[in-house]
Amino acid sequence: MISISVMALVFGVVFLAELPDKTALAGLVLGTRYRASYVFVGVAAAFVVHVVLAVAAGSVLTLLPQQLLHALTGVLFLGGAAMLLLKGGDDEEEVREPKDQSFWKVSGAGFMLILVAEFGDLTQIMTANLAARYDDPLSVGLGAVLALWAVAGLGIVGGKALMKRVPLSLITKIAALLMTGLGVWSLYEAIA
């Protein structure tokens, strides 16, 4: 059974954390050069692979004793918040152009770019933490995938307009604040 509240929380946290990420910028660049639907298919498939790996890792963490699990996820959330606040916003991935505009070439380029760029990324680590925290792999997985797809869609189709209206620093600060709250809450539960 899917928990709408867990799915919504995961969606919000992952969405905000992914917006200022380099992969949103990479999606924007690919979307300006190639057919958006082809790019989205490749990017979306790569995000599914990452979420499945993250949820599997998080599910293994649920085997730890509850207090240790809460302490570990709390520390990881606080570390993620610190990473968001300390990382530079100028980091862009180099995008290689496929020689042709075919579906397989364009979606393959999007898939490979995201697969490599996102491996071990903050949102993948956050998804694993959330899967461990809530012990609800389906709800966490769906929330994370939908958030990543939403950011990819925004980046591919309308990233330039969004970034002109909402300062990247504000998005980063909101995501860091949410992660800090989750980290403090998890540490409190570990001690209580």
Side-chain angles (χ1 to χ4, degrees):
M1 187 164 163
I2 296 172
S3 167
I4 299 298
S5 60
V6 169
M7 195 169 80
L9 175 77
V10 171
F11 179 92
V13 169
V14 171
F15 181 86
L16 287 171
E18 188 65 20
L19 266 180
D21 197 57
K22 63 190 172 295
T23 52
L25 297 172
L28 171 68
V29 171
L30 286 172
T32 59
R33 294 182 183 177
Y34 307 111
R35 180 180 253 172
S37 59
Y38 291 4
V39 173
F40 184 78
V41 168
V43 168
F47 278 135
V48 168
V49 171
H50 279 287
V51 168
V52 167
L53 292 173
V55 168
S59 296
V60 169
L61 290 175
T62 63
L63 301 174
L64 295 173
Q66 281 297 94
Q67 282 187 309
L68 181 59
L69 178 62
H70 288 308
L72 180 62
T73 58
V75 167
L76 289 172
F77 275 127
L78 292 174
M83 282 176 58
L84 268 179
L85 291 173
L86 297 176
K87 79 175 186 176
D90 299 333
D91 192 22
E92 289 187 41
E93 290 292 310
E94 181 182 329
V95 178
R96 295 185 183 178
E97 291 192 31
K99 295 189 188 305
D100 63 46
Q101 294 278 328
S102 73
F103 171 79
W104 293 109
K105 293 285 184 180
V106 173
S107 62
F111 179 84
M112 290 308 296
L113 176 68
I114 299 303
L115 192 67
V116 171
E118 281 291 301
F119 201 78
D121 195 54
L122 175 63
T123 52
Q124 190 178 34
I125 294 166
M126 283 175 44
T127 301
N129 287 342
L130 289 163
R133 172 90 174 92
Y134 291 104
D135 195 18
D136 187 353
L138 186 57
S139 299
V140 170
L142 282 173
V145 163
L146 292 174
L148 293 167
W149 286 357
V151 171
L154 284 172
I156 292 166
V157 175
K160 284 182 182 174
L162 177 68
M163 294 305 169
K164 285 180 184 175
R165 297 178 195 271
V166 181
L168 192 57
S169 62
L170 177 62
I171 294 167
T172 301
K173 288 174 184 171
I174 291 170
L177 181 65
L178 284 172
M179 290 180 67
T180 300
L182 287 168
V184 169
W185 181 24
S186 293
L187 289 174
Y188 172 76
E189 286 186 332
I191 296 168

